[in-house]
């Protein structure tokens, strides 16, 4: 075993202390219970998905009852605008339903476009309208190379995926938009993309520059 | 070099059907249109079922699926050409996304491969459709309303398309696939032959959505008459090409030549690097990518197979 792997084994790879015997001995069972609660809450908070019971059980002592831990956390969250909700296979954080209107309003204002740079948005549009298209094709549209970083950012957000290979030397991948793309822009299908003519007219009215 | 014998070329007349089938001067009535569709379907039936003639029906349906996909993409406002559709379909590596054009062809091809003798054949069609439509289509197949299963085959087909379009006005492809399935089933054909989608226009669909069912029915009859005519012409063309391809078989020395020919006779196009190599699709015969390219080049040289892309690389071949 090399030195590096040995170090990793000793440091990061260390088994999580589930039982927390030392803590219980020094500060009592109360402190240990609290530590377990915060652990469970932190993991559910950090997760984007529903956290199943088995995952939570692997974080705390064998004797700890997950349902009791959850109940204690829920009691503490009373009066907060979010709750720890039990869903089909586990638990997740979610906002209380009475705030739905406010959240919906806010998400209308913060449309998905807000999180994109202008160039990212333009490249995404070009791919949506001209798919399947490869980097050469994008370069033809934009008059310059589109950086691989930008493409991989879009791919990382699952808005585009690899399409058919382009019949050019080197067989580069083309890009196509994904289901995720339709969902995040609230489109039923690609036909809901605005007709390019309309967009152009609108842009001419507003004297905006459109990249496509 | 061995050359194929020069053969007398029979030029087919532009219209195989008698002119009265497509009489454009006749008033646009349902009677006139249904007379035409009936006559055209009957000609197609005779062509496809002549045991002495031997039309490569699998290839015919595959190519009609490509035509249908092209026109359906047009209905959706996309302008993909046949070449672009083939590129998207054949050049997608497993696990990657074909994009809208390739997917459309895949769906049509799946429908055109449906055989009614297979159990659960309807699932092939239903699983193609968007997932949101599944409960609706399941119900429609499980308990079809009377109008969808009674009456003459054309009426059934039109009823299926209207029913689906009135519920999902933007799923023309699904509606037209259902119409083809209904027609072929009612005509007791063993497989689905794509016909309606070849000639339906956007304005026909709009007529139905505006409530003009009669205009839509006329359009469907006309579409099937034109579609059946196209299919008949294509069937004759492919039959002659298939015969010529089989004739050159003895001249080929390459191992796997007969399997290659079998594949060419049932597919719209083949990409040597994936369809023939490392093994020839539909068989266990191995072929290197080099010999796959060579046999396709050889067949093109003999004039029995066409190179479809006119590119130097990523070539595709078909009858």
């Amino acid at each position: 075993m090399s030195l590096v792997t040995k170090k990793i084994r000793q440091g990061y790879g260390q088994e999580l202390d589930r039982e927390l015997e030392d803590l219980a001995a020094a500060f009592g069972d109360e402190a240990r219970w609290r530590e377990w609660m915060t652990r469970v809450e932190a993991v559910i908070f950090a997760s984007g998905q529903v956290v199943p019971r088995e995952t939570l059980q692997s974080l705390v002592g064998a004797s700890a009852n997950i349902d009791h831990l959850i109940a204690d956390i829920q009691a503490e969250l009373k009066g907060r605008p979010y709750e720890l909700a039990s869903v089909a296979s586990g638990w997740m954080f979610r906002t209380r339903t009475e705030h739905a209107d406010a959240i919906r309003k806010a998400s209308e204002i913060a449309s998905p476009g807000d999180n994109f740079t202008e160039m990212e948005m333009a490249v995404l549009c070009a791919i949506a309208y001209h798919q399947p298209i490869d980097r050469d094709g994008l370069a033809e549209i934009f008059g310059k190379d589109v950086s691989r970083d930008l493409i991989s950012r879009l791919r990382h957000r699952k808005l585009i995926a690899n399409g058919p290979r382009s019949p050019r030397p080197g067989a580069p991948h083309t890009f196509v938009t994904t289901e995720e793309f339709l969902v995040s822009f609230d489109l039923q299908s690609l036909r809901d993309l605005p007709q390019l003519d309309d967009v152009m007219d609108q842009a001419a009215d507003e004297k905006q520059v459109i990249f496509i | 070099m061995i050359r194929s014998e020069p053969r007398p070329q029979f030029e087919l007349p532009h219209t195989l059907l008698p002119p009265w089938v497509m009489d454009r001067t006749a008033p646009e009535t349902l009677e006139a249109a249904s007379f035409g569709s009936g006559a055209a379907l009957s000609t197609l039936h005779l062509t496809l079922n002549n045991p002495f003639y031997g039309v490569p029906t699998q290839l015919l349906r595959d190519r009609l699926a490509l035509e249908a996909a092209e026109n359906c993409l047009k209905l959706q406002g996309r302008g993909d050409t046949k070449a672009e559709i083939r590129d998207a379909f054949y050049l997608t590596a497993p696990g990657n996304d074909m994009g809208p054009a390739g997917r459309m062809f895949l769906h049509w091809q799946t429908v055109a491969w449906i055989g009614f003798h297979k159990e659960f054949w309807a699932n092939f069609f239903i699983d193609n459709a968007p997932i949101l439509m599944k409960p609706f289509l399941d119900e429609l197949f499980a308990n079809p309303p009377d109008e969808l299963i009674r009456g003459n085959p054309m009426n059934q087909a039109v009823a299926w398309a209207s029913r689906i379009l009135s519920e999902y006005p933007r799923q023309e492809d699904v509606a037209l696939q259902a119409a083809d399935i209904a027609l072929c089933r009612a005509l007791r054909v063993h497989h689905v032959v794509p016909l309606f989608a070849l000639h339906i226009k956007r304005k026909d669909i709009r007529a139905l959505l505006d409530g003009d069912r009669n205009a839509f029915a006329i359009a469907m009859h006309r579409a099937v008459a034109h579609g059946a005519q196209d299919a008949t012409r294509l069937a004759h063309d492919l039959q002659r090409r298939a015969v010529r391809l089989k004739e050159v078989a003895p001249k080929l020395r390459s191992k796997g030549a007969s399997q290659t020919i079998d594949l060419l006779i049932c597919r719209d196009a083949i990409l040597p690097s994936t369809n023939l190599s490392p093994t020839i699709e539909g068989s266990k015969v191995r072929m290197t990518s080099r010999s796959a390219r060579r046999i396709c080049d050889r067949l093109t040289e003999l004039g029995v197979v066409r190179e479809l892309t006119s590119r130097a690389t990523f070539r595709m071949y078909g009858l």
Side-chain angles (χ1 to χ4, degrees), chain A residues 186-211:
Chain A
D186 197 20
L187 304 169
Q188 293 284 316
S189 75
L190 287 174
R191 293 168 78 179
D192 295 319
L193 286 173
Q195 291 287 309
L196 275 184
D197 300 346
D198 301 349
V199 179
M200 287 302 194
D201 290 348
Q202 211 182 336
D205 291 347
E206 293 171 12
K207 297 211 172 102
Q208 278 182 348
V209 185
I210 290 279
F211 279 94

Side-chain angles (χ1 to χ4, degrees), chain B residues 22-73:
Chain B
M22 297 291 172
D23 191 1
R24 288 184 177 283
T25 58
E28 292 254 310
T29 61
L30 194 52
E31 282 87 358
S34 55
F35 177 70
S37 67
L41 282 173
S42 151
T43 318
L44 178 62
H45 174 88
L46 290 175
T47 311
L48 296 188
N49 290 288
N50 185 341
F52 306 107
Y53 200 52
V55 174
T57 48
Q58 212 176 340
L59 166 59
L60 174 75
R61 285 183 280 119
D62 208 18
R63 194 152 289 171
L64 289 174
L66 182 69
E67 302 260 355
E70 188 190 27
N71 194 41
C72 277
L73 286 165

